[in-house]
Amino acid sequence: MSALLNPAEFEAALRAIGAERYHDKHPFHRLLHSGRLNKAQVQAWALNRYVYQAHIPIKDAALIARCPDSALRKAWRSRLADHDGDDTRPGGIARWLKMTDALGLDRELVTSMRAALPGTLFAVEAYVRFVRERTLLEAVASSLTELFAPKIISERVEGMLANYAFVDQEALAYFAPRLTEAPQDSAFALAYCIEHATTRAEQESVLEALRFKCGVLWSMLDTLYFAYVDPAVAIPGAFQP
Amino acid sequence: MSALLNPAEFEAALRAIGAERYHDKHPFHRLLHSGRLNKAQVQAWALNRYVYQAHIPIKDAALIARCPDSALRKAWRSRLADHDGDDTRPGGIARWLKMTDALGLDRELVTSMRAALPGTLFAVEAYVRFVRERTLLEAVASSLTELFAPKIISERVEGMLANYAFVDQEALAYFAPRLTEAPQDSAFALAYCIEHATTRAEQESVLEALRFKCGVLWSMLDTLYFAYVDPAVAIPGAFQP
């Protein structure tokens, strides 16, 4: 640990982590976006990723629940509405279920999460616990993967629409609002981390939190790839297309 | 849920879970035991599995720490000595480090766990938390994978000695004591679960705890296989042979 990074250096260090570790580089996503998965494999992705989606407002509420700063609580609250919805619009979870519907998955199978892979559950659990138990600064920082979300969402929507006959714009309704929500959220979280990481050690904790979160997203694809793509071993108890 | 299973039925149901889900069936283990991994891949296995080994006495102490029953605490205490050692013999962790030494791995790299895969850490963390937070009966039940350990240990030792020039009996010193410790431990835990699961719902919770634990061991191999065997993507930050 040496001197404090200035804001530009700090942001560059965060972005370098994304360039190295964000899950857009995972082979599973390359297959997904380029149309090289079959429908059953896309189902497995959507069903497992639901576990992550369903826990986002839980981890956001956990952050609010431990936050002594009214302004931060207020700012963070919009994330709850984004994922759980409000009177004017469905939330991200409901939109994700539109996709699993369109893919022909049974809702109860999806929402019960009983067919999700253990590795999915462990990664999502690790994320929620991290937000509950680490410092508030690290909890905020672990959301910073959203800095890299717009690019992967654009690639995904474009690739999936072009390559899969069983997917249409409505099935992908989850993603369009995320193209505006994610940049707002990540800009806020980035500014918060820049302002509140006032020592090099705190800056390093922010960088480490982002690495941790990249590992969450990455390991979810590891277990998915292995179970459904290659060598396609039947995982006992897991979703079987 | 229907009627209570009698002890024979209950034990048969537990053994059926092992037959279906224990990690001896994972392709990574088949490769490991049959000599089809290279030294670097065996190193990756030993380094990641160290994380699990290092947490065994932590989870056992967590069980003792929450246990109001002096007799159970006393019986469980031998597991601490098995893994942390006593004045007369090295424990399992020290013996595991003999293997990582023999494989040419740097001790600090292994014991710091900083090169372990995120998926390894998440699975081990999920196991420790399970023992801390579920019912005492479920905590005991999650150890029941040891029912199936002697078979995999025999296969492993025999297969590794026959197939890898870089492994000898001394490197595999971890395993021999486990051939007597594991059956004693699992016999005790099985008897405890049979005695204390006095409703069908409790019996089901025992079965589910064993399924959970099989998922822990299995998902550790998922992430290992994917990172080091096929397609051998370099996981950022992970151990690189």
Side-chain angles (χ1 to χ4, degrees), chain A residues 9 78 89 96-97 102 109 136 140 148 169 184 193 209 218:
Chain A
E9 290 168 336
S78 65
R89 59 190 172 123
W96 196 269
L97 288 170
L109 185 72
L136 187 59
V140 170
F148 320 119
Q169 198 91 47
Q184 286 167 10
C193 290
W218 188 277

Side-chain angles (χ1 to χ4, degrees), chain B residues 95 98-99 102 153-154 156-158 160-162 164-177 179:
Chain B
R95 300 198 311 276
K98 281 203 161 194
M99 179 166 64
I153 289 176
S154 303
R156 179 173 301 155
V157 169
E158 191 182 331
M160 289 182 74
L161 287 177
Y164 297 114
F166 51 86
V167 165
D168 62 16
Q169 198 91 48
E170 204 190 322
L172 301 184
Y174 171 76
F175 296 103
L179 287 171

Side-chain angles (χ1 to χ4, degrees), chain A residues 129 133 222-223 226 230 235, chain B residues 129 133 222-223 226 230:
Chain A
R129 301 243 186 216
E133 296 175 6
D222 282 355
T223 198
F226 185 60
D230 185 11
I235 308 288
Chain B
R129 303 245 186 215
E133 297 175 6
D222 282 355
T223 198
F226 185 60
D230 183 13

Side-chain angles (χ1 to χ4, degrees), chain A residues 20-21 26-28 118-119 122-123 125-126 129 133 212 215-216 218-219 221-223 225-226 230-231 233-237, chain B residues 20-21 25-28 118-119 122-123 125-126 129 133 212 215-216 218-219 221-223 225-226 230-231 233-237:
Chain A
E20 187 188 47
R21 296 168 191 248
H26 198 287
F28 190 92
F122 301 156
E125 182 190 12
R129 301 243 186 216
E133 296 175 6
F212 160 82
V216 168
W218 188 277
S219 76
L221 298 178
D222 282 355
T223 198
Y225 186 104
F226 185 60
D230 185 11
V233 170
I235 308 288
Chain B
E20 187 188 48
R21 297 168 191 247
K25 303 214 159 25
H26 198 287
F28 190 92
F122 302 156
E125 181 190 13
R129 303 245 186 215
E133 297 175 6
F212 160 82
V216 168
W218 189 276
S219 78
L221 298 178
D222 282 355
T223 198
Y225 186 103
F226 185 60
D230 183 13
V233 170
I235 308 288

